[in-house]
């Protein structure tokens, strides 16, 4: 498959390989014709997603599975992506895992593009059956997508906080009140927990104080950067928590310090001054 076709189809992940004859026709259970794009997904993983060990010949290939993803319609003909997906085995934790690609959503059996298309169609006055027929998927796929949206926007439950709460700040928009926004990730489930517009400490106090005491006592680890302000959160709102500095920020600080020393030494030598 050439690059222009990949771009047109939105399957530009370099880890996806397609043979010269990548298009096949087949019949579904009801006898309707469907087109199928065949490809292979494989790469050398950088680390194990289960135990985090860096792959220095620690992870080996472990067979493959065939996954079929509905891919919408092309000229009124339903399309599928049939991907031979690599499995891996980690010798450090003896677990297996499957190759992943930004094109697919690991939670569902459809591609992310098709999921977006379904969501877009759900905003119009249209029956679920019509959407399913137009996009060449089953009605239950459309219903599941609708349900997943509902799950994402449920009212926060003030009686639950995860055992490991990973927090950080990020720049979101220029117009918000605080300069930065706040993100919290559920470390137990490896899922986004919540995003708050304003990361200023008094706002965070206000927000987390709304949670019940038992929920706040449930937070055992507060994973964060070395921002001293957030340590106040641990002292006041989460009484049973331990602060854990995340690896990313430790490595970043080490790197910044090494760079600082390197530039200092460089400038000293450039000036011909070898003494401290
Ligand atoms: Zn592992």
């Amino acid at each position: 498959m050439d690059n222009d076709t990949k771009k047109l189809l939105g399957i530009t992940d370099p880890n996806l390989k397609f043979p010269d004859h990548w298009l096949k026709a087949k019949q579904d259970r009801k006898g309707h014709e469907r087109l199928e794009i065949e490809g292979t997904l494989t790469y050398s993983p950088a680390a194990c997603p289960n135990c985090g060990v860096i792959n220095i010949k620690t992870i080996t290939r472990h067979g493959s599975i065939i996954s079929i993803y509905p891919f919408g319609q092309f000229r009124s003909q339903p399309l599928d992506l049939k991907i031979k997906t690599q499995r891996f085995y980690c010798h450090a934790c003896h677990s297996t895992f499957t190759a992943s690609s930004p094109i697919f959503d690991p939670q569902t059996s459809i591609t992310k593009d098709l999921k977006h298309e379904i969501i877009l169609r759900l905003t119009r006055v249209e029956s679920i059956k019509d959407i399913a027929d137009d996009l060449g998927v089953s009605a239950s796929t459309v219903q599941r997508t609708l349900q997943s949206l509902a799950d994402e926007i449920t009212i926060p439950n003030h009686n639950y906080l995860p055992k490991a709460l990973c927090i950080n700040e990020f720049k979101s928009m220029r117009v918000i009140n605080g300069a930065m926004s706040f993100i919290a990730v559920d470390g137990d489930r490896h899922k986004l927990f919540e995003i708050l517009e304003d990361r200023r400490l008094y706002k965070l106090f206000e927000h987390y104080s709304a949670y019940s005491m038992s929920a706040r006592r449930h937070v055992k680890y507060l994973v964060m950067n070395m921002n001293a302000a957030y340590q106040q959160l641990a002292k006041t709102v989460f009484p049973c928590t331990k602060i854990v500095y995340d690896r990313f920020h430790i490595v970043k600080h080490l790197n910044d310090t090494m760079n600082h020393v390197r530039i200092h030494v460089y400038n000293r030598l450039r000036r011909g001054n070898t003494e401290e």
Side-chain angles (χ1 to χ4, degrees):
M1 188 185 284
D2 66 282
N3 284 339
D4 288 348
T5 314
K6 281 184 193 168
K7 232 186 247 175
L8 184 71
L9 293 168
I11 39 181
T12 46
D13 180 357
N15 298 326
L16 271 170
K17 300 275 184 299
F18 299 93
D20 289 342
H21 297 285
W22 44 268
L23 195 63
K24 300 260 157 59
K26 62 159 191 182
Q27 291 201 333
D28 67 9
R29 269 178 282 164
K30 289 176 185 165
H32 301 140
E33 190 166 282
R34 293 182 78 93
L35 292 174
E36 206 167 62
I37 300 171
E38 288 186 347
T40 312
L41 175 65
T42 186
Y43 52 85
S44 176
C48 168
N50 298 313
C51 68
V53 69
I54 303 290
N55 181 18
I56 311 164
K57 293 184 180 168
T58 343
I59 299 167
T60 49
R61 293 184 174 189
H62 191 69
S64 56
I65 50 162
I66 303 281
S67 312
I68 295 177
Y69 303 91
F71 199 54
Q73 294 236 33
F74 184 69
R75 292 167 67 196
S76 309
Q77 186 113 42
L79 260 179
D80 286 332
L81 266 184
K82 184 179 176 184
I83 304 296
K84 191 176 170 192
T85 313
Q86 187 76 58
R87 301 264 309 150
F88 298 104
Y89 178 76
C90 171
H91 291 267
C93 67
H94 305 289
S95 67
T96 56
F97 59 97
T98 312
S100 62
S101 162
I103 292 171
F104 312 118
D105 189 346
Q107 317 290 333
T108 60
S109 57
I110 56 174
T111 58
K112 280 186 187 166
D113 277 357
L114 186 60
K115 189 177 175 186
H116 292 159
E117 178 77 33
I118 293 174
I119 291 169
L120 202 68
R121 299 282 292 260
L122 282 167
T123 61
R124 301 179 198 155
V125 184
E126 218 174 339
S127 78
I128 283 182
K129 190 173 178 307
D130 284 348
I131 299 174
D133 287 350
D134 282 357
L135 297 177
V137 293
S138 66
S140 56
T141 301
V142 182
Q143 257 155 358
R144 266 202 304 275
T145 310
L146 181 62
Q147 184 58 47
S148 73
L149 280 180
D151 292 346
E152 278 172 27
I153 48 170
T154 42
I155 302 154
N157 171 8
H158 282 141
N159 292 315
Y160 170 78
L161 280 166
K163 199 168 158 189
L165 190 68
C166 315
I167 59 171
N168 204 354
E169 65 236 7
F170 69 103
K171 184 123 194 81
S172 57
M173 287 164 78
R174 218 181 278 172
V175 289
I176 58 160
N177 286 327
M180 303 279 263
S181 294
F182 180 84
I183 182 167
V185 169
D186 181 338
D188 305 352
R189 296 190 178 119
H190 299 255
K191 278 178 86 175
L192 175 67
F193 187 66
E194 59 190 353
I195 287 177
L196 308 177
E197 185 188 303
D198 197 337
R199 66 102 201 241
R200 281 176 293 180
L201 202 55
Y202 79 97
K203 283 278 179 190
L204 298 179
F205 277 138
E206 247 173 53
H207 176 78
Y208 285 109
S209 300
Y211 283 84
S212 69
M213 184 44 113
S214 69
R216 289 191 273 132
R217 290 179 82 91
H218 187 238
V219 181
K220 297 285 185 283
Y221 306 102
L222 195 64
V223 184
M224 54 189 243
N225 60 17
M226 291 162 197
N227 183 341
Y230 293 151
Q231 295 185 12
Q232 295 296 320
L233 266 186
K235 281 187 191 144
T236 47
V237 224
F238 304 120
C240 301
T241 197
K242 275 189 185 141
I243 292 172
V244 179
Y245 294 131
D246 68 57
R247 280 180 283 187
F248 169 80
H249 284 101
I250 294 175
V251 172
K252 188 174 176 297
H253 273 284
L254 281 171
N255 197 24
D256 289 351
T257 311
M258 281 299 286
N259 260 336
H260 184 79
V261 172
R262 182 181 62 77
I263 291 165
H264 180 75
V265 170
Y266 169 77
N267 282 336
R268 215 177 62 207
L269 293 177
R270 199 166 52 111
R271 289 195 297 265
N273 175 12
T274 51
E275 284 169 29
E276 181 50 30

